[in-house]
Amino acid sequence: MKVVDARVIVTGPGANFVTLKVETDEGIHGVGDATLVGRELAVATYLSEYVVPMLTGRDAFAIEDTWQLLGRGSYWRRGPVQTTAQSAVDMALWDIKGKALGVPVYELLGGRSRKGLMCYSHAHGDTIEDAVEMLHTKLEAGYRAVRLQCGIPGLRTVYGVERDLSEQPGTPHERPYSESWDTEAYLRIAPMLFEAAREAVGGEVHLLHDVHHRLTPIEAARLGRDLEPYRLFWMEDAVQADIQTAFRTVRQHTTTPLAVGEVINHLSECEVLIREQLIDYIRVAAVHCGGITGLRKIAAFAEPYQVRTGCHGAADMSPITLAAALHFGISAHNVGIQERALHTPQTDEVFPHAYTFSDGLLDPGEAPGLGVDIDEALAAGYEYRRSYLPVARLRDGTMTNW
Ligand code: GCO
Ligand code: MG
């Protein structure tokens, strides 16, 4: 089966998404997510200018060789633009192979390892009380694991707290908008949030927390210790992910489990973290780490070190990435949990999918391939609008990590 055409589709149903659609000479097509949030058109151009011409005429079943061609064969290796493009092609080829053979992709990856994949949702609020109230709502909706964030008194905006975007001057995302940050205030509030949450919901629920790269190693070590009484499932991105050895300090000081990886695109960027067992969960997403093939390679490396996956699943990656994560997650052994942020109804309509949620678990469904597609006619009705992620500054105006 040969690839005869590949097209990049850019659409904005609730958020911007870049999709690669690969067509074959047997009339079967596959889809891959190529969304690099805040820099979407860089990947769209990389794909249409450089990758698509390399695909036409290739054997659609040669998934590994195509992965190597796009990874090794680009000379300029790694980097999120390259790996996101490579990921989209990889997902589309797995989708095609599953459809051609009439099986869901997870059957090609070794079959089911579990009945369903535990996922976590998000709860947050301006105050601790609001966050705990939302936590109750999520538990009522069936989730067994919830990430919890709350605002910090005195700060105008805080990561993880959804706000009405109309509060921002002008059209907020057309320019990178600024959030403020105060480490000391945060370190005081975060343990209070989890104390209140445990009091409210007891010990059985899995509670998670995302620090979003904001702390130094010693600050993160202190927070990890302060959170120990509340038995978190994980503390995520405690320090910035690109200094792997920074996690040694954190690890030595706390038994709070550590997760990292949503901004990691390649095994070389997490090799020390895994080999030295500095983390418990690796959070790479199929859309940035080389698709299902890249995710499998990283997970296979992590397995003997007892590091499990907890793939990034924010709503700014398309349902194609979630489907890919679920086929991987239902089949691989060392899988811990899957993040699940709800897509908007418009996004769900543009990307019809077979995956389902029930009783805290996600399931990829039995449709051949990835079980997700793009409705091009609907997609054409939603325009792409340039949109930045925020930046963060300390109270005195100094730039910090968002
Ligand atoms: C998470 C993430 C997201 C990211 C977002 C950036 O844990 O889900 O931190 O909230 O900030 O995906 O685009
Ligand atoms: Mg995160």
Side-chain angles (χ1 to χ4, degrees), residues 181-222:
W181 183 249
D182 181 334
T183 299
E184 284 309 316
Y186 165 72
L187 289 175
R188 272 196 309 277
I189 288 283
M192 291 160 68
L193 169 65
F194 284 92
E195 184 182 13
R198 280 291 176 221
E199 254 173 42
V201 301
E204 217 173 287
V205 178
H206 295 304
L207 297 178
L208 299 79
H209 184 61
D210 189 350
V211 183
H212 227 257
H213 328 278
R214 301 288 168 90
L215 301 178
T216 64
I218 202 67
E219 289 163 351
R222 202 169 101 210

Side-chain angles (χ1 to χ4, degrees), residues 16 35-41 384 386-389:
N16 291 324
T35 307
L36 181 61
V37 65
R39 299 292 186 270
E40 293 85 0
L41 297 188
Y384 162 85
R386 183 173 57 230
S387 177
Y388 289 94
L389 286 172

Side-chain angles (χ1 to χ4, degrees), residues 356-373:
T356 53
F357 170 78
S358 121
D359 198 21
L361 307 176
L362 282 164
D363 191 284
E366 298 303 321
L370 290 175
V372 60
D373 211 340

Side-chain angles (χ1 to χ4, degrees), residues 120 147 159 210 212-213 236-237 262 283 312 339:
Y120 71 92
R147 185 192 81 170
Y159 164 74
D210 189 350
H212 227 257
H213 328 278
E236 174 190 341
D237 288 343
E262 66 185 46
R283 277 182 45 70
H312 188 204
E339 182 180 17

